[in-house]
Amino acid sequence: MFELQDAFARKFQYLRLSVTDVCNFKCQYCLPDGYMPDGRKTFLTLDEIRRITHAFAAMGTSKVRITGGEPSLRKDFTQIIETVADTPGIEKVAMTTNGYRMAKFAHEWRQAGLTAINVSVDSLDPRMFHQITGQNRFHEVMAGIDAAFVAGFEQVKVNAVLMRGLNDGDLDRFLAWIKDNPIQLRFIELMQTGEMDTLFERHHVRGALIKDILLQQGWSQKVKAHNDGPAEVFFHPDYQGEIGLIMPYSKDFCASCNRLRVSSLGKLHLCLFGDYGVDLRDLLSDDQDQAALQRRLREALADKKATHFLHQGHAGMTPNLASIGG
Ligand code: SAM
């Protein structure tokens, strides 16, 4: 029975599960100084991940995205994929990655049950890529994308955050790239999180501006199915790839919200920009607690708000997206 529905009739069949806060990249808009180790944090164990996934799946979740931090930094990452994929009711297992281990592991992950990959590539210019991410690994990441196709993934989604004065000039290069490649390029509008006011003011590009450019160049917007998430997707007859725009500041962004998040520390977050997380961890150490866990999820969902408060400059408790699984 489908139980993950809120007071606004939104259905949440999609779970974003963060398995670590640790990241080896230093993206300017996320972790510019790199990940700061905190010995007190213990991330979800494989058993805890299994219990969370089971509880969500029993309530109707069919898609799980494994994210972080950088999820592939976990030594047991392939087992995490297997654990999620083996859960009855879970049909899609996706991951979001910076791609640096993909060339080596895409095949193994696919065998383990991974069905979709999103990889972040903020620039197609290796120098700009290095400048934004703090890592000189552009060619490794691109080799990872090739490896994903060879491993049998039919489409790869690529996330890019376009920023004024940095990589916004890359738009044409990105478009040329997807002309003959089955890539869904997803431009994520820069979001203002707690730690980056100045960067936001300096580099924010409105998603609506990119949308105007696409429409002028003959791209058309796909009609959304009722359970599609907030991305607006565009296609063009001359292009094999497509474009997704993720515009958290747009008027109806939250109306199509279909996702819930669990952080690497086992907290349920009803919104990326919410003020609090609901602790689930006390119910994750024993299979006997499944019913209580589901009850807590149900009760928490009753409190999900209609929208975030980003427009009022309120980014909630999120210092950066790595800490909650962006
Ligand atoms: N390490 C993985 C990766 O690099 O994709 C997964 C975690 S990362 C936090 C997930 C996505 O969030 C990335 O595509 C990144 O570009 C995006 N992101 C992080 N901070 C952001 C911000 N302030 N605004 C927009 N997107 C952001």
Side-chain angles (χ1 to χ4, degrees):
M1 189 180 113
F2 196 87
E3 295 183 75
L4 293 167
Q5 183 163 329
D6 72 359
F8 307 94
R10 290 176 297 193
K11 290 190 162 69
F12 300 92
Q13 62 281 86
Y14 176 15
L15 169 66
R16 294 176 73 104
L17 179 62
S18 175
V19 296
T20 182
D21 290 2
V22 183
C23 191
N24 55 337
F25 279 35
K26 298 180 180 178
C27 298
Q28 286 189 22
Y29 49 76
C30 190
L31 288 176
D33 301 321
Y35 174 73
M36 303 291 177
D38 176 347
R40 290 164 305 173
K41 286 186 177 174
T42 48
F43 302 121
L44 293 169
T45 65
L46 208 51
D47 274 336
E48 289 176 317
I49 289 171
R50 177 174 58 76
R51 293 189 184 106
I52 290 172
T53 313
H54 270 261
F56 273 87
M59 297 173 80
T61 295
S62 56
K63 173 175 173 183
V64 177
R65 175 173 300 282
I66 308 168
T67 180
E70 175 48 41
S72 68
L73 288 175
R74 288 262 311 227
K75 294 212 166 47
D76 56 356
F77 184 61
T78 301
Q79 287 145 282
I80 292 177
I81 296 173
E82 267 163 6
T83 302
V84 174
D86 285 350
T87 307
I90 299 300
E91 290 157 13
K92 292 186 186 162
V93 185
M95 76 181 290
T96 306
T97 176
N98 61 30
Y100 97 110
R101 294 184 86 191
M102 230 161 70
K104 193 161 169 210
F105 287 100
H107 182 71
E108 183 177 309
W109 296 340
R110 175 99 187 156
Q111 298 294 105
L114 191 70
T115 58
I117 296 187
N118 282 36
V119 52
S120 302
V121 183
D122 284 326
S123 177
L124 293 177
D125 168 1
R127 276 171 311 174
M128 182 54 69
F129 180 93
H130 188 175
Q131 187 180 329
I132 294 175
T133 63
Q135 285 280 8
N136 190 12
R137 292 180 187 253
F138 172 76
H139 296 290
E140 280 166 69
V141 174
M142 296 306 270
I145 294 176
D146 292 342
F149 284 121
V150 172
F153 292 93
E154 277 160 23
Q155 192 197 43
V156 172
K157 291 183 179 171
V158 169
N159 292 350
V161 180
L162 283 188
M163 290 175 286
R164 186 180 319 287
L166 288 171
N167 58 348
D168 57 341
D170 272 25
L171 184 60
D172 288 343
R173 208 195 277 217
F174 271 121
L175 295 182
W177 183 46
I178 64 168
K179 197 146 201 240
D180 301 310
N181 286 304
I183 282 174
Q184 188 188 98
L185 189 58
R186 298 163 73 87
F187 291 120
I188 310 178
E189 187 171 345
L190 182 64
M191 294 176 237
Q192 186 169 20
T193 52
E195 284 174 356
M196 44 156 282
D197 287 353
T198 320
L199 183 114
F200 182 81
E201 275 154 33
R202 211 174 275 160
H203 299 297
H204 178 238
V205 178
R206 282 186 314 113
L209 197 77
I210 303 171
K211 181 170 173 174
D212 286 347
I213 296 174
L214 293 178
L215 293 174
Q216 275 163 22
Q217 294 191 6
W219 291 80
S220 311
Q221 189 167 351
K222 271 191 175 171
V223 179
K224 272 195 193 186
H226 78 105
N227 58 351
D228 279 350
E232 293 186 14
V233 179
F234 297 80
F235 65 97
H236 192 297
D238 300 340
Y239 288 74
Q240 225 184 309
E242 51 186 20
I243 299 198
L245 288 185
I246 300 173
M247 303 185 281
Y249 297 91
S250 73
K251 195 165 78 35
D252 293 326
F253 186 74
C254 301
S256 51
C257 183
N258 62 353
R259 60 207 54 198
L260 294 170
R261 294 166 196 269
V262 173
S263 75
S264 58
L265 300 177
K267 288 199 163 140
L268 171 72
H269 291 267
L270 299 171
C271 174
L272 188 51
F273 300 102
D275 279 323
Y276 66 98
V278 177
D279 202 1
L280 306 176
R281 215 135 189 206
D282 57 308
L283 298 176
L284 298 180
S285 54
D286 193 332
D287 289 346
Q288 306 282 353
D289 290 330
Q290 281 286 300
L293 181 56
Q294 290 180 31
R295 200 174 324 119
R296 192 169 295 169
L297 295 176
R298 211 175 294 121
E299 284 166 8
L301 198 53
D303 200 33
K304 185 165 164 69
K305 305 282 180 283
T307 64
H308 58 57
F309 297 98
L310 275 181
H311 301 99
Q312 290 92 318
H314 182 78
M317 64 178 283
T318 312
N320 54 60
L321 266 53
S323 65
I324 183 179

